[in-house]
Amino acid sequence: MSAPDLRRDHLRRFGMIALATDMTIEGDAARLMPPGTQLHVTRIAFENPTTPESLRRTGPRLRNAAELILPGVALEGMLFGCTSASAVLGDEVTALIGPRAPVTTPLSAALRACEALGVGRLSLLAPYRTETTTLVAAHLARHGVEVVAQSSMGHADDRDMGMLTPEAVIEAALAADHPRADALFLSCTALPAVPVIDRLEMMLGKPVLSSNQVSFWSMLDTAGISGDGPGRLFKVHRW
């Protein structure tokens, strides 16, 4: 098979590896990826409940998944769409995916967003059980962001997380905020948080970040592309 003639490609292309059970991230991608870009998605097997053990099993699946996305076509970025697995796998994610394209995870993106907004202290809300939320908090702390408060909604299955109502997300987010926090981070790519970010920022008077919001902002910003999304974050560019 001959190589494609990429000189005729008018789109800036990105890849994403999502969990088999994530009900939210592709819908958020459709909202956050701007005209002139194209996101190509593959999924990897994931076995609920969301525990450190099940999250760790995603690691060996990443390389093959990345290689399935448009073989032979250059990508401008690759997103691994799982916050808690990124916490479990840590800085190994880039090596596990391979050198296909610059790699973004929700946690690398959250750290980049905190730097861009001058945020040093976060309140953290996650829909998972406490043990998984603690892993996310620990990862942020290891990379210099203080988590002054953390809250867990207690769900074990990310499909249940994906069916939370906007009202449930807002109620939990307001309860999770801490007065010492510079911003609130809503963890988990399955959490339907993007539609309520603007409302929460008005209510709290501070930046509100979510896994999907920071992931697509960071991936686009790394490529030097402006996006149109919710919250103060999408008004910031690092290039």
Side-chain angles (χ1 to χ4, degrees), residues 52-96:
E53 293 74 23
S54 63
L55 294 164
R56 192 169 290 110
R57 287 195 291 271
T58 63
R61 299 166 181 164
L62 294 177
R63 179 65 64 92
N64 288 342
E67 291 175 351
L68 287 173
I69 300 177
L70 297 183
V73 175
L75 300 175
E76 302 222 20
M78 180 75 72
L79 171 63
F80 175 37
C82 184
T83 316
S84 51
S86 299
V88 171
L89 298 170
D91 298 329
E92 299 177 46
V93 172
T94 296
L96 289 166

Side-chain angles (χ1 to χ4, degrees), residues 17 147 173 182 231:
I17 302 168
V147 178
D182 302 319

